[in-house]
Amino acid sequence: MQPLVLLLIREILLPELVALIKARQAAGQPITEAELRAEFDARIGRIVAIGETWLATHPA
Amino acid sequence: MRPPRPSVVPILALLVALVFLATACHPPITITTPQGKVIYAANEVAKRVELLQTAAIAGEAEGTLPTDVARVFVQFSVSAAKTLQALPAGWGTTVAVAWGEAKQQIPLKYLNSPTVATAVMAVDTVLAIWLPVSTGGA
């Protein structure tokens, strides 16, 4: 592999990946299945609540 | 004379794509049961549906999307969310058909508008990745 590509991977890609993983950990994103289920349920509830409220205030 | 150097851009693009696919197509290693994997897939779809709904509502509020167009996106989002919750292991066909019908109702200029284009692409991509799983094709 070309030195430039290796340099770009080492200097840009890898730090970005590490930062991404740290950000996910810091954001408390789900690790266990129970956490994943809770996040899913919360997201579905949010989509339906916000969407139905918006639709009620913007009737066809 | 030096030989031409191959561009690094395609290589980097391939690496980024591989990283995306590796992270998007597989649940975290802590998610091991079939039920957990099903919820992971449904949650990945729900994330993009929420992104779409948020973009559509914001676009309508800013005046970049007509209310009728935003309504189609929001109706799809609510419908898809309810389907994902009711059928986390079998949402595939229902959500994909609803998404196809929603897109047919929206003029191309709005489908491709900067307001929602990223979210539309995100929904297209996540369905392409997870639909076979949901419909039992993979």
Side-chain angles (χ1 to χ4, degrees), chain B:
Chain B
M1 192 171 117
R2 294 174 61 184
R5 295 178 61 174
S7 170
V8 297
V9 174
I11 298 169
L12 283 176
L14 178 64
L15 284 170
V16 171
L18 287 174
V19 168
F20 172 79
L21 287 173
T23 56
C25 294
H26 297 287
I29 55 172
T30 54
I31 307 299
T32 54
T33 68
Q35 294 90 341
K37 291 176 181 176
V38 160
I39 293 298
Y40 178 82
N43 192 41
E44 289 301 299
V45 177
K47 283 181 189 175
R48 277 69 180 188
V49 169
E50 185 176 33
L51 179 71
L52 178 71
Q53 179 174 267
T54 302
I57 290 174
E60 194 271 345
E62 293 164 2
T64 55
L65 271 190
T67 303
D68 287 348
V69 171
R71 189 180 299 110
V72 174
F73 283 125
V74 175
Q75 284 172 335
F76 163 76
S77 300
V78 171
S79 166
K82 289 179 176 176
T83 303
L84 287 164
Q85 188 170 44
L87 301 167
W91 51 265
T93 304
T94 306
V95 172
V97 168
W99 179 230
E101 289 174 353
K103 287 203 295 183
Q104 283 182 346
Q105 295 177 53
I106 297 169
L108 201 55
K109 67 175 180 176
Y110 295 121
L111 211 51
N112 293 333
S113 75
T115 307
V116 293
T118 303
V120 167
M121 195 182 304
V123 173
D124 281 337
T125 304
V126 81
L127 288 179
I129 291 172
W130 290 109
L131 188 62
V133 177
S134 174
T135 54

